[in-house]
Amino acid sequence: MPDIPVGSQIFDLGFHPTNATVYTGLLDGHIKAFRYDEQGQHEQAFSIRPSKRSCRTLGTNQDGSCLYAAGKAKSIFAVDTATGSIFETRKDAHDSPVNRIKRLLPNMFCTGDDDGVIKLWDPRTLHEIRQYTHHFDFISDFLWLENKRQLISTSGDGTLSVIDVRGKKAEPLAQSEDQEDELLSIVAIRNASKVVVGTQLGILSIFNSSRGWGDCADRVPGHPQSIDALCGLPSSYSSSHSTILTGSSDGLLRIVQLFPTKLLGVVADHGSFPVERIAVDQNGEGRWIGSAGHEDTLKMTDLREVLEDEGSDQGDLSDKHDSDSDEVGSTERAVSAPVTGEDTVPPETEHGGEERDPSEEPKEKKRKRKGGKDVLVGRKKGRNELDADPSFFVGL
């Protein structure tokens, strides 16, 4: 599918749960929707501007009839996806700009802001059900565990927390230790028995829910820069339970298998722009994956074409590479590598800072690594962590 021009930097994207429609939240405050077909043709469905301030996050209700949007305006807007009109506004829903929205239950969704505040909402009322203040830095991502009715949040404060939405206490069920790195993205694998977290330093941290949430069980280095977005594969692929899509600040959208660890390929290349949002259509079970960075275009990639091509070289992503072993690495084919010692990374979508003027072109800026030291120093090595030649992503 050709790239979809949207006219401004994309902060977030989302798909209608059943229809072939993609939504984009933009830096200039616009929300634009596009319809597409199996052949890759697309057309704009609607364009609205609830606020002049940036739209940072989007989320739909269960049937896709309502699109929730929020951002720097601190308000939550409800958009009728059939007409493209705003029918409800929760003004000053947060005291700080809102970074993430996530649908949980038919009558519940959540939001997280720059100050680490998480709020639960009932769409039938204008006031929050409950709020949590245990994080002290921006909320970067949410993961909903349907079978346990638990909400997992990641934060720039370096911790992960688990909230039981059925409880009445305004405190988390569990919270991890400080991981000494910003946690930026999260996805579940192995039927949600394990959770993968993307970090600022390019390490995939794997948590095992059966061992508790205090600390990660394994760490997989290899990405040269921050891992800003994670997404699972459609369940129709046999290796989906241990294979994920990763969006990194180096501009590449990759397919990475974790058991054993290997790079299966590159899905999309955004050049010098970081990949900060990725999503698969049809509630994660579709054909198209959307990816967005700092450019003013939305990339739509056909997963079937990518995975079929990779399948010819990788055994069609079959289970022969996906044994029941929990080993992250492979002694026959070690592909993970230590984080490269680069001192600069491309600019990321700011979390809690001021947005750039829409007229400005995205520019690269220097950013020092935390502490200027090896992140593995002073930390216990994961049980399955590998030290290998740094060739995991070289040349891609």
Side-chain angles (χ1 to χ4, degrees):
M1 180 184 293
D3 293 349
I4 301 177
V6 298
S8 183
Q9 178 184 323
I10 302 173
F11 264 68
D12 199 9
L13 68 95
F15 289 94
H16 191 284
T18 55
N19 298 339
T21 304
V22 60
Y23 307 103
T24 57
L26 308 182
L27 175 66
D28 61 9
H30 278 93
I31 300 171
K32 294 186 178 181
F34 299 88
R35 288 187 289 266
Y36 57 92
D37 57 25
E38 290 293 311
Q39 288 70 44
Q41 302 300 314
H42 59 82
E43 63 177 358
Q44 185 169 295
F46 65 79
S47 176
I48 58 173
R49 194 181 190 188
S51 170
K52 293 182 179 180
R53 298 192 171 188
S54 63
C55 176
R56 294 186 180 182
T57 182
L58 300 170
T60 64
N61 63 354
Q62 191 171 32
D63 61 9
S65 61
C66 174
L67 175 70
Y68 294 105
K72 193 173 182 182
K74 307 175 186 177
S75 300
I76 302 174
F77 304 96
V79 181
D80 186 331
T81 57
T83 63
S85 59
I86 300 172
F87 66 88
E88 187 177 81
T89 300
R90 291 174 171 82
K91 290 187 177 182
D92 298 322
H94 281 257
D95 294 330
S96 299
V98 182
N99 279 321
R100 301 298 283 171
I101 287 180
K102 182 75 174 179
R103 180 184 79 239
L104 308 181
L105 298 168
N107 290 318
M108 183 183 293
F109 67 95
C110 66
T111 54
D113 69 20
D114 275 355
D115 290 336
V117 176
I118 299 172
K119 292 189 177 185
L120 302 182
W121 302 87
D122 186 331
R124 299 167 295 185
T125 64
L126 294 178
H127 301 286
E128 72 266 20
I129 303 172
R130 199 175 304 115
Q131 76 170 11
Y132 302 85
T133 59
H134 52 278
H135 288 295
F136 61 85
D137 206 345
F138 66 90
I139 301 300
S140 57
D141 207 357
F142 286 125
L143 174 66
W144 173 239
L145 301 182
E146 178 70 31
N147 59 335
K148 296 183 178 180
R149 294 293 195 271
Q150 291 178 349
L151 172 67
I152 303 180
S153 61
T154 55
S155 172
D157 64 13
T159 66
L160 166 153
S161 67
V162 182
I163 295 172
D164 186 348
V165 300
R166 298 168 296 185
K168 295 183 179 180
K169 294 183 179 180
E171 57 186 31
L173 185 66
Q175 186 169 8
S176 74
E177 299 173 0
D178 185 356
Q179 300 299 295
E180 301 179 6
D181 194 4
E182 293 181 359
L183 308 186
L184 303 179
S185 49
I186 186 169
V187 69
I189 59 173
R190 293 290 180 92
N191 294 319
S193 64
K194 297 180 185 292
V195 167
V196 184
V197 176
T199 68
Q200 173 68 36
L201 290 175
I203 294 173
L204 291 169
S205 297
I206 302 176
F207 287 79
N208 190 332
S209 60
S210 64
R211 299 181 185 177
W213 300 100
D215 200 0
C216 62
D218 290 291
R219 304 167 77 241
V220 181
H223 288 74
Q225 295 177 20
S226 64
I227 305 169
D228 300 336
L230 292 175
C231 184
L233 283 181
S235 60
S236 57
Y237 296 101
S238 59
S239 67
S240 61
H241 62 281
S242 62
T243 303
I244 60 175
L245 297 159
T246 68
S248 177
S249 283
D250 66 355
L252 297 181
L253 173 58
R254 299 175 172 90
I255 307 178
V256 179
Q257 183 173 289
L258 294 173
F259 299 100
T261 306
K262 61 171 63 70
L263 172 69
L264 298 183
V266 174
V267 177
D269 186 351
H270 286 252
S272 61
F273 297 103
V275 182
E276 296 191 326
R277 291 290 187 269
I278 54 179
V280 177
D281 68 349
Q282 303 295 312
N283 262 339
E285 297 295 334
R287 168 183 177 182
W288 298 97
I289 179 170
S291 57
H294 283 179
E295 69 266 58
D296 59 359
T297 58
L298 172 65
K299 284 187 179 293
M300 295 280 284
T301 307
D302 188 345
L303 274 176
R304 294 180 188 174
E305 292 182 0
V306 174
L307 294 180
E308 285 174 3
D309 291 341
E310 292 301 326
S312 62
D313 298 327
Q314 301 291 343
D316 196 24
L317 296 178
S318 66
D319 283 335
K320 70 179 183 179
H321 294 307
D322 261 335
S323 65
D324 291 333
S325 170
D326 283 340
E327 295 297 320
V328 176
S330 170
T331 56
E332 297 180 357
R333 190 177 180 186
V335 293
S336 59
V339 177
T340 57
E342 298 176 0
D343 292 326
T344 62
V345 298
E348 301 179 29
T349 301
E350 87 277 80
H351 302 289
E354 294 294 319
E355 285 86 355
R356 293 187 298 273
D357 188 284
S359 63
E360 293 183 1
E361 292 293 329
K363 299 178 181 179
E364 292 192 355
K365 61 182 180 181
K366 292 185 178 180
R367 182 172 181 177
K368 294 182 179 180
R369 297 292 188 187
K370 284 188 174 182
K373 61 182 180 180
D374 189 339
V375 296
L376 299 182
V377 174
R379 296 183 63 92
K380 185 178 179 180
K381 183 177 179 181
R383 178 174 60 88
N384 298 318
E385 186 175 315
L386 292 181
D387 291 326
D389 188 277
S391 59
F392 193 9
F393 298 133
V394 173
L396 293 176

